[in-house]
Amino acid sequence: MNKSELIDAMAADAGISRSAAKMALESFLNNVSGTLKKGGRVSLVGFGSWSVSSRAARDGRNPQTGKSIKIAAKNIVKFKGGAELENSVNSK
């Protein structure tokens, strides 16, 4: 499912217009990314939680040349699925 399909499904499920569903999804995404950018955590009970973790700088290798390269430190986003989400994915 891509973003457009998700917007269509949200509009149909909620009985709202496609533009209202698009605004709701964009608001959700902006709030999640804004919170993570500030170093916060977003948790939706039963669905899952997003958090930010730091990855330290490290040495790596260019697979084509075998030369050693420096990989810069960066922040990464982690998602941990909640129990209800995992159960719904694993149920038959």
Side-chain angles (χ1 to χ4, degrees), residues 7-75:
I7 290 169
D8 291 339
M10 289 172 57
D13 289 348
I16 58 176
S17 69
R18 191 175 189 288
S19 62
K22 182 179 180 181
M23 287 187 337
L25 179 59
E26 287 176 356
S27 175
F28 171 76
L29 296 174
N30 289 337
N31 281 290
V32 169
S33 61
T35 299
L36 295 174
K37 192 173 187 176
K38 294 176 189 171
R41 177 183 168 104
V42 177
S43 191
L44 300 175
V45 175
F47 184 77
S49 59
W50 291 267
S51 61
V52 176
S53 181
S54 296
R55 184 175 284 169
R58 62 195 191 280
D59 292 327
R61 287 213 182 271
N62 181 333
Q64 291 179 332
T65 63
K67 268 182 119 174
S68 182
I69 58 172
K70 296 282 185 186
I71 301 172
K74 67 179 182 177
N75 292 327

